């Protein structure tokens, strides 16, 4: 019988190798999982970073597209108008690696007149058009970024500024000058004025904000002469002396701090990032064009802003084709103001009024009169050949009839190259053997209606203008000169007996000898108190060089341009004994260009300055009371930006 024995299996250490292998496999599996997870996470992070990178680039490309659109809108607004066609023409930028298939610029709502609340032009009003810009940019990887920009396109009537210059603005008045109104120049501003023995007594007061995208200098431009009599009001109306400028405090932040401490930030320069205000003409068209005659090559933008195209009364004075006075106007009477008597030669004068009533010949004789060598201009040093418009006679002719009303009058002079083609009796009348046309307004104390008068030649205003009652009015020209209420032509020209011996002697380039003998004996006559109300848009004559900047840093023997105190210009002795005679002016002084025809330089010997009672016409802050044909300047501001999803 077999005996079966149970056996018990015993594990030896060497037999645990299988467990270790299993454990290793498990660990490796776990590690592999972790590594895989980490790799996945890293790859995801890389992909996320790459996506964020591409999306970030797309966003900034979209934002750049919006800024490009803003820049194009600013260009479109240069004429003060923002047309639908101009918005439709706004294009997305060309940027390598991105497309702008979703890009649009559109108006939001209708234009409204509103007060500007932000920036250096706050407080002025503008015709504001809200604009929305949508800019989406996509890169080759399909990443898309987008922004929506909100902007305001502002057309600001230029006559809201008390003073507006495109070139350097100089104000270095002798007699005291107080000015109420905003002061702006697109170039530098020079303020230096003082009274008393040390030039420190108050002598110039600026009651409102002064702005420029360039520099302010408490110094003269023509020579180094810092006078400390200039005061600028702070926000509470306190008069604060100007004791610093862009030279003494060149650091922008320090300048801003000082301006805000002294004037409540009411003196702003490039330190405040002030923008230039572009004049109302397209890019490349000089601002002088705003007063130029109609041109058949003018585009829509020029036609929208030039006084000539906005005129309802267009007067052409043809000095090439002369006619006898009787052929131009015939009232059947001798002209008592005719300096030479008889039926002298006149330029051919035509009037266009777009289908409205035109003055007949007798009325033309009453309203307009032509005079060769009417008077001597001591600054220009020449005899002026003048078309005089008698505003009182114009008012009588209009007589309240709507079909005769004249809102904008433009006068074009067609001028020959010289007097060589003129009949001898006309040459004799020119005295200085040159043709020097000018427009003069007289008897204009009462205007028939709101009225603007414009020409690209010299304009003279004789006597009180637009003061009884005051109406919206403007005067636009190459240069404006004020002749006082006491002005008399015959006191500012040779007597007939002085020049009668010159008959038959005046030739091209050969003046009347009697006239040449008279010029050194000419003396300025005494003016009388005069009032002129109306915006002025005219040329000025600037000081040609800054003494503090090379090549003029060492000084120069040149001349002072005359400054704002001689804009407009004067010719008479505005002083009687020790008493200064007052010139009262209310309006807006705008000079967008240098004079091209009134080029005589200031020297202070041909006149004695008046006591200037000057101010900004606050009526111009009401859009309904602006002069006819007021130009606009354009400004565009970004008001909001948000991301587009």
């Amino acid at each position: 019988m077999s005996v079966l024995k149970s056996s018990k299996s015993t594990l030896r250490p060497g037999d645990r190798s299988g467990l270790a292998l299993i454990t290793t496999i498990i660990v490796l599996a776990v590690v592999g999982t972790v590594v895989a997870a980490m790799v996945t996470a890293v790859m995801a992070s890389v992909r996320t970073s790459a996506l964020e990178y591409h999306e970030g680039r797309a966003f900034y490309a979209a934002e750049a597209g919006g800024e490009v659109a803003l820049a194009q809108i600013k260009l479109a607004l240069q004429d003060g108008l923002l047309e639908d066609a101009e918005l439709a023409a706004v294009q997305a930028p060309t940027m390598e690696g991105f497309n702008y298939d979703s890009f649009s610029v559109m108006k939001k709502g209708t234009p409204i007149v509103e007060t500007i609340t932000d920036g250096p032009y706050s407080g002025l009003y503008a015709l504001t058009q809200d604009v929305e810009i949508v800019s989406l940019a996509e890169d080759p990887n399909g990443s898309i970024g987008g922004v929506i920009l909100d902007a305001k396109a502002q057309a600001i009537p230029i006559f809201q500024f008390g003073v507006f210059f495109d070139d350097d603005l100089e104000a270095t008045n002798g007699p005291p000058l107080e000015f109420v109104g905003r002061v702006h120049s697109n170039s530098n501003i020079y303020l230096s004025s003082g009274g008393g023995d040390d030039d420190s007594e108050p002598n110039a007061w600026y009651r409102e904000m002064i702005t420029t995208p360039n520099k302010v200098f408490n110094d003269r431009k023509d020579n180094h002469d810092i006078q400390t009599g200039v005061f600028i009001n702070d926000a509470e109306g306190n008069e604060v002396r100007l004791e610093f400028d862009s030279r003494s405090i060149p650091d922008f932040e320090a300048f801003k701090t000082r301006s805000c401490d002294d004037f409540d930030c009411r003196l702003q320069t490039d330190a405040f990032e002030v923008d230039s205000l572009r004049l109302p003409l397209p890019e490349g068209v000089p601002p002088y064009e705003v007063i130029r005659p109609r041109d058949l090559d003018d585009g829509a933008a020029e036609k929208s802003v030039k006084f000539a195209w906005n005129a309802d009364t267009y007067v052409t004075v043809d000095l090439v084709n002369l006619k006898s006075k009787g052929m131009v106007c015939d009232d059947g009477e001798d002209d008592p103001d005719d300096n030479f008597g008889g039926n002298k030669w006149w330029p051919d004068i035509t009037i266009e009024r777009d289908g409205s009533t035109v003055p007949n010949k007798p009325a033309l004789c009453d309203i307009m009169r032509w005079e060769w060598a009417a008077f001597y201009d001591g600054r220009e040093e020449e005899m002026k050949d003048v078309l005089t418009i008698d505003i009182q006679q114009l008012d009588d002719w209009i007589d309240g009839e709507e079909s005769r009303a004249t809102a904008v009058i433009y006068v074009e002079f067609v001028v020959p190259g010289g007097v060589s083609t003129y009949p001898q009796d006309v040459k004799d009348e020119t005295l200085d053997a040159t043709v020097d046309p000018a427009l003069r307004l007289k008897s204009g104390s009462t205007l028939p209606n709101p009225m603007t008068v414009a020409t690209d030649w010299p304009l003279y205003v004789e006597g009180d203008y637009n003061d009884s009652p005051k109406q919206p009015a403007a005067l636009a020209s190459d240069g404006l000169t004020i002749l006082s209420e006491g002005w008399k032509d015959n006191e500012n020209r040779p007597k007939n007996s002085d020049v009668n011996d010159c008959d038959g002697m005046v030739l091209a380039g050969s003046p009347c000898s009697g006239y040449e003998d008279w010029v050194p004996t000419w003396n300025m006559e005494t003016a009388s108190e005069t009032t002129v109300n109306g915006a002025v848009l005219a040329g000025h004559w600037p000081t040609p060089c800054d003494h503090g900047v090379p090549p003029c840093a060492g000084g120069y023997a040149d001349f002072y341009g005359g400054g704002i105190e001689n804009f407009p210009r004067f010719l008479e002795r505005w002083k009687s004994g020790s008493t200064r005679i007052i010139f009262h002016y209310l309006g807006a002084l705008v000079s967008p260009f240098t004079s091209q025809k009134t080029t005589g330089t200031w020297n202070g010997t041909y006149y004695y300055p008046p006591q200037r009672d000057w101010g900004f016409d606050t009526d111009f802050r009401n859009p309904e009371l602006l002069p006819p044909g007021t130009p606009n300047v354009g400004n565009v501001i970004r008001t909001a930006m948000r991301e587009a999803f």
Side-chain angles (χ1 to χ4, degrees):
M1 168 177 195
S2 298
V3 178
L4 295 177
K5 296 182 179 179
S6 62
S7 68
K8 189 175 186 179
S9 186
T10 303
L11 294 177
R12 297 187 298 269
D15 296 328
R16 296 176 181 270
S17 60
L19 180 59
L21 178 61
I22 293 171
T23 302
T24 300
I25 292 173
I26 292 172
V27 170
L28 288 176
V30 170
V31 170
T33 302
V34 171
V35 169
M38 291 178 62
V39 169
T40 301
V42 169
M43 292 301 295
S45 177
V46 169
R47 284 195 296 270
T48 300
S49 297
L51 180 61
E52 290 177 350
Y53 168 74
H54 287 293
E55 288 179 347
R57 291 184 72 236
F59 174 80
Y60 289 121
E63 185 179 18
E67 295 297 334
V68 167
L70 279 176
Q72 293 179 67
I73 294 172
K74 288 184 179 181
L75 289 176
L77 197 62
Q78 285 180 3
D79 60 359
L81 299 172
L82 193 60
E83 306 286 355
D84 290 333
E86 292 174 322
L87 285 183
V90 174
Q91 297 180 352
T94 300
M95 188 176 297
E96 185 176 356
F98 293 94
N99 70 65
Y100 293 86
D101 291 339
S102 297
F103 186 89
S104 65
V105 181
M106 64 191 72
K107 293 180 179 179
K108 294 174 61 179
T110 58
I112 59 171
V113 175
E114 65 177 7
T115 300
I116 300 172
T117 57
D118 298 310
Y121 310 119
S122 61
L124 303 179
Y125 63 82
L127 180 65
T128 299
Q129 173 65 65
D130 288 324
V131 177
E132 182 182 80
I133 303 166
V134 178
S135 174
L136 270 65
E138 182 178 3
D139 71 4
N141 296 312
S143 296
I144 298 175
V147 297
I148 299 175
L149 294 181
D150 292 327
K152 289 181 179 292
Q154 300 167 328
I156 306 172
I158 201 169
F159 291 145
Q160 287 184 89
F161 291 90
V163 177
F164 181 103
F165 268 49
D166 190 56
D167 296 327
D168 287 345
L169 171 60
E170 303 171 68
T172 56
N173 51 289
L177 173 63
E178 177 182 4
F179 201 85
V180 176
R182 299 288 290 269
V183 176
H184 177 87
S185 172
N186 282 337
S187 301
N188 294 323
I189 296 178
Y190 296 80
L191 303 175
S192 182
S193 178
D197 294 337
D198 59 357
D199 289 324
S200 64
E201 292 183 6
N203 199 55
W205 298 264
Y206 297 91
R207 303 304 190 189
E208 298 190 26
M209 185 174 283
I210 300 174
T211 55
T212 173
N214 285 283
K215 309 292 185 183
V216 165
F217 301 118
N218 184 20
D219 200 354
R220 292 179 67 103
K221 184 180 180 184
D222 58 330
N223 62 73
H224 183 58
D225 185 14
I226 299 176
Q227 299 178 7
T228 58
V230 177
F231 287 76
I232 301 172
N233 280 24
D234 65 15
E236 296 180 354
N238 300 308
E239 298 171 354
V240 182
R241 190 187 300 272
L242 175 63
E243 296 180 319
F244 68 97
D245 64 7
S246 299
R247 283 194 180 112
S248 64
I249 306 180
D251 179 75
F252 280 7
E253 291 304 316
F255 186 98
K256 289 169 64 176
T257 298
R258 181 66 182 272
S259 174
C260 294
D261 287 345
D262 285 11
F263 312 117
D264 295 320
C265 307
R266 288 159 63 91
L267 175 63
Q268 296 196 9
T269 65
D270 52 354
F272 288 82
E273 299 183 350
V274 175
D275 285 333
S276 292
L277 288 175
R278 294 299 306 270
L279 299 171
L281 288 165
E283 184 74 18
V285 177
Y288 194 81
E289 196 67 22
V290 74
I291 62 165
R292 290 276 300 138
R294 295 173 181 173
D295 190 318
L296 295 179
D297 292 332
D298 286 338
E302 288 95 326
K303 289 181 178 180
S304 69
V305 298
K306 289 175 66 169
F307 290 107
W309 286 108
N310 288 312
D312 53 50
T313 301
Y314 196 94
V315 181
T316 303
V317 182
D318 186 351
L319 284 157
V320 176
N321 300 297
L322 303 183
K323 295 182 178 181
S324 67
K325 174 185 173 183
M327 293 182 66
V328 178
C329 72
D330 185 9
D331 58 5
E333 298 179 2
D334 291 334
D335 185 353
D337 294 314
D338 187 338
N339 289 320
F340 299 93
N343 196 22
K344 65 180 181 180
W345 292 91
W346 271 32
D348 190 19
I349 301 174
T350 58
I351 302 175
E352 301 174 44
R353 284 185 41 82
D354 296 329
S356 299
T357 306
V358 176
N360 57 23
K361 286 188 176 182
L364 177 63
C365 286
D366 291 336
I367 298 169
M368 300 183 186
R369 184 177 69 251
W370 176 258
E371 296 172 89
W372 300 99
F375 59 82
Y376 180 73
D377 184 318
R379 174 165 175 162
E380 297 299 306
E381 297 183 341
E382 62 189 17
M383 298 296 297
K384 306 306 295 187
D385 306 306
V386 178
L387 177 72
T388 298
I389 298 179
D390 189 312
I391 301 298
Q392 180 61 59
Q393 293 291 340
L394 176 63
D395 191 10
D396 291 344
W397 176 75
I398 293 175
D399 196 26
E401 293 188 25
E402 186 175 346
S403 65
R404 296 186 177 188
T406 56
V408 180
I409 301 174
Y410 187 86
V411 178
E412 175 184 359
F413 292 93
V414 180
V415 181
V419 301
S420 59
T421 60
Y422 283 172
Q424 184 60 50
D425 54 349
V426 176
K427 294 177 184 177
D428 292 340
E429 292 185 16
T430 61
L431 298 185
D432 54 0
T434 61
V435 183
D436 302 300
L439 175 64
R440 171 168 55 179
L441 307 177
K442 68 181 300 183
S443 302
S445 182
T446 300
L447 302 184
N449 45 250
M451 188 168 69
T452 292
V453 180
T455 182
D456 66 330
W457 287 85
L459 175 60
Y460 296 80
V461 173
E462 179 181 331
D464 293 337
Y465 190 82
N466 187 33
D467 68 321
S468 180
K470 180 174 68 67
Q471 301 194 68
L475 304 160
S477 64
D478 179 84
L480 177 68
T481 301
I482 301 299
L483 307 177
S484 81
E485 186 73 16
W487 176 271
K488 294 181 177 61
D489 283 1
N490 59 13
E491 293 179 348
N492 292 277
R493 67 177 316 281
K495 294 181 174 60
N496 288 351
S497 58
D498 294 332
V499 296
N500 280 342
D501 292 343
C502 289
D503 289 352
M505 303 298 292
V506 178
L507 302 172
S510 177
C512 168
S513 58
Y515 161 73
E516 292 188 302
D517 292 339
W518 172 83
V519 168
T521 70
W522 172 80
N523 290 307
M524 64 187 88
E525 298 295 325
T526 301
S528 61
E529 189 170 350
T530 302
T531 298
V532 172
N533 296 322
V536 173
L537 188 152
H540 69 286
W541 191 246
T543 299
C545 198
D546 186 337
H547 72 89
V549 178
C552 302
Y556 61 94
D558 216 310
F559 45 80
Y560 175 48
I564 189 66
E565 64 270 21
N566 289 291
F567 178 86
R569 308 173 187 204
F570 304 96
L571 290 179
E572 301 161 84
R573 181 186 300 277
W574 291 77
K575 185 177 183 180
S576 178
S578 60
T579 303
R580 294 185 184 275
I581 297 168
I582 303 175
F583 172 57
H584 305 275
Y585 172 75
L586 201 63
L589 300 174
V590 175
S591 186
F593 47 77
T594 299
S595 299
Q596 296 185 12
K597 299 181 175 73
T598 46
T599 56
T601 57
W602 181 91
N603 56 44
T605 63
Y606 57 86
Y607 84 117
Y608 197 93
Q611 177 66 50
R612 299 175 179 90
D613 174 27
W614 287 9
F616 169 66
D617 189 345
T618 56
D619 282 353
F620 295 161
R621 289 176 173 156
N622 182 343
E624 302 298 322
L625 297 178
L626 284 169
T630 296
N632 294 319
V633 288
N635 187 44
V636 178
I637 59 172
R638 184 173 73 175
T639 57
M641 184 185 77
R642 57 192 183 277
E643 189 171 359
F645 297 98

